[in-house]
Amino acid sequence: MSVKTLRKIPLESFVDLKVDYVFKQFFGTEQNKNITVVFLNAILKRTGRNTIKEISFMRQEFGSEHVDDKQSRLDILVKTQDDLFINVEIQLTNKYDMMKRTLYYWSRIYTSQLRKGMGYYKLRPTITINICNFSLFEQTNNYHSLFQLYDFDEKFKMDDVLEIHFIEINKFIKQWYAKQLNSWENVLARWLMLLAMVDGRKGKVYEEIYLELEELAMKDEELLNAFNVWQDLSQSPEDYYAYQSRLKYILDEAAKLEDTKYIAEQEGLLKGIERGMEQGIQQGIQQGIQQGIEQGIEQGIEQGIKQGENKMQKEIVLKLLKRNTDVETIAELTGLTVTEIEQLKELLD
């Protein structure tokens, strides 16, 4: 088969595998189990006796589960080569409350195993894989982050019971274009190229990624099989219609969230202005009162001083008059007029 004949449909017809409906059709069906096994081994870096050999899809639902969470989660029970059973949950997550939601569903799956009379030692390890269509961790440029239970200081692992993976597709695409990835040697990079090639939310197809995928698929039988399944899904009228409907719903919900966020921000801004005006008015009144009090005190002091000076002046004039000092001399000494002194002289009569 030549590379030119590998693609059977136009590039713009490929569905976005990150849309939950398509993701489940691609990775969550019996006929595509082999694809899912290879994909999981690539993410979890399972080799040798740890390699996953069998999987079964769990249909458990939790009573308080959100409708959209049901759509975007895929629960799998895997069995390794050394017959170890592990619960694996794959989530296509949005950025809203993601950390707490991830831990919540991890705990629900882990504790759902426990039955009456069952020993805790029988609880299987539980792994959550989050595939994020956005950048999440500012602390790292890595597109694949792994979290487990470790001692804070010595960094030794407490147990294998918890394992949470985050795949950041935006970072993966940036690293791919920066030529920081070797997809010929990195198995996970090949499979993430399948997820990254189409971005239905932005209406974008990365043609450069597709061209490398074609080359890889010609030498990787498992990837070629996945590529053909992807094309078949994209060509199915029923699946394509369901995909478009689900994508429209996702875009509408994202728009509603943005509108709600914008309205909340505007309301918060208006409330802030109103509070500021109220505080400004109150502050202005308080400042006015304070200034009035201060001015009153100042005026009172001034008036008191003047009144005190006038009283003292009168007393001086009266004493001088008692000594028979002439009126003109008293006027020169005190600054009062002859008339004012004559009026005070009458008080002595």
Side-chain angles (χ1 to χ4, degrees):
M1 183 186 296
S2 66
V3 172
K4 292 182 180 179
T5 61
L6 183 60
R7 178 160 58 90
K8 298 177 286 187
I9 59 174
L11 274 180
E12 59 272 16
S13 296
F14 278 92
V15 294
D16 184 351
L17 292 173
K18 299 182 297 299
V19 171
D20 45 31
Y21 171 80
V22 179
F23 187 89
K24 283 190 172 183
Q25 295 302 309
F26 191 76
F27 289 108
T29 57
E30 292 293 325
Q31 62 266 32
N32 295 334
K33 275 185 174 183
N34 290 340
I35 292 175
T36 310
V37 168
V38 176
F39 180 61
L40 288 176
N41 278 324
I43 292 179
L44 304 179
K45 297 179 180 179
R46 298 266 167 174
T47 58
R49 293 182 59 80
N50 283 327
T51 305
I52 295 168
K53 65 176 180 179
E54 296 177 20
I55 62 173
S56 59
F57 301 105
M58 297 185 288
R59 304 299 176 190
Q60 62 182 339
E61 293 183 359
F62 305 120
S64 59
E65 190 173 13
H66 192 277
V67 174
D68 283 343
D69 290 344
K70 289 180 183 179
Q71 289 279 79
S72 61
R73 290 175 47 241
L74 180 61
D75 297 325
I76 305 169
L77 177 63
V78 307
K79 184 179 180 182
T80 64
Q81 293 288 351
D82 55 358
D83 294 330
L84 174 66
F85 285 92
I86 302 172
N87 294 324
V88 175
E89 174 201 35
I90 304 177
Q91 291 194 78
L92 295 165
T93 55
N94 59 47
K95 63 182 72 176
Y96 303 102
D97 300 319
M98 196 187 73
M99 299 302 180
K100 289 183 173 59
R101 192 172 69 248
T102 295
L103 290 170
Y104 171 77
Y105 282 116
W106 176 89
S107 67
R108 295 298 295 269
I109 292 174
Y110 182 66
T111 56
S112 67
Q113 308 170 58
L114 198 61
R115 298 289 180 267
K116 188 175 181 180
M118 173 180 166
Y120 291 108
Y121 71 94
K122 290 185 178 180
L123 289 173
R124 296 186 293 269
T126 297
I127 299 172
T128 293
I129 300 169
N130 294 285
I131 297 173
C132 310
N133 196 38
F134 52 89
S135 295
L136 180 62
F137 298 113
E138 296 179 357
Q139 302 92 326
T140 178
N141 292 321
N142 293 333
Y143 62 85
H144 182 192
S145 300
L146 167 62
F147 295 87
Q148 292 180 299
L149 295 172
Y150 282 90
D151 174 77
F152 184 80
D153 293 320
E154 300 296 334
K155 302 297 183 291
F156 63 87
K157 193 188 299 184
M158 184 184 90
D159 203 304
D160 289 325
V161 68
L162 181 145
E163 189 173 324
I164 298 178
H165 296 254
F166 292 92
I167 305 291
E168 299 176 66
I169 298 297
N170 286 358
K171 288 181 181 177
F172 172 79
I173 292 173
K174 287 179 183 178
Q175 290 189 25
W176 189 90
Y177 274 100
K179 301 187 184 303
Q180 296 173 352
L181 301 173
N182 185 347
S183 53
W184 293 94
E185 295 181 4
N186 187 332
V187 178
L188 177 57
R190 291 178 221 168
W191 288 86
L192 292 183
M193 287 169 69
L194 285 169
L195 294 175
M197 192 190 97
V198 179
D199 191 335
R201 294 164 178 81
K202 295 179 181 178
K204 185 172 184 178
V205 178
Y206 296 94
E207 186 173 359
E208 299 88 347
I209 292 179
Y210 164 76
L211 292 174
E212 186 168 315
L213 265 175
E214 270 195 327
E215 286 189 65
L216 289 164
M218 296 309 300
K219 298 184 178 181
D220 184 333
E221 186 176 346
E222 292 161 337
L223 188 63
L224 177 60
N225 178 40
F227 197 93
N228 288 330
V229 170
W230 186 17
Q231 291 196 91
D232 291 341
L233 263 175
S234 301
Q235 289 185 103
S236 164
E238 296 82 6
D239 288 322
Y240 194 78
Y241 175 79
Y243 159 74
Q244 289 290 350
S245 299
R246 183 60 182 164
L247 179 59
K248 182 180 183 303
Y249 172 82
I250 291 171
L251 293 173
D252 288 345
E253 288 300 301
K256 286 179 186 176
L257 284 170
E258 288 301 316
D259 289 344
T260 302
K261 183 179 177 183
Y262 175 78
I263 292 169
E265 288 174 350
Q266 294 303 307
E267 287 180 349
L269 179 62
L270 290 173
K271 287 179 181 178
I273 292 172
E274 290 173 358
R275 283 197 299 269
M277 290 176 67
E278 289 175 3
Q279 290 172 359
I281 292 169
Q282 291 175 358
Q283 191 174 3
I285 291 171
Q286 290 174 353
Q287 287 178 349
I289 293 171
Q290 186 65 29
Q291 287 175 0
I293 292 170
E294 291 172 357
Q295 288 174 359
I297 292 171
E298 288 176 2
Q299 290 173 357
I301 291 170
E302 289 176 1
Q303 290 175 359
I305 291 170
K306 286 181 180 179
Q307 288 174 358
E309 288 176 348
N310 290 337
K311 184 178 179 182
M312 185 179 294
Q313 201 172 41
K314 287 178 183 178
E315 290 175 353
I316 291 170
V317 170
L318 291 172
K319 286 180 180 180
L320 290 172
L321 287 170
K322 287 179 180 179
R323 293 178 183 177
N324 296 318
T325 307
D326 62 276
V327 173
E328 288 76 10
T329 301
I330 295 172
E332 289 178 5
L333 291 172
T334 61
L336 295 176
T337 64
V338 172
T339 303
E340 289 173 333
I341 295 170
E342 290 292 347
Q343 289 175 348
L344 290 171
K345 188 176 181 181
E346 292 177 359
L347 296 175
L348 296 175
D349 299 337

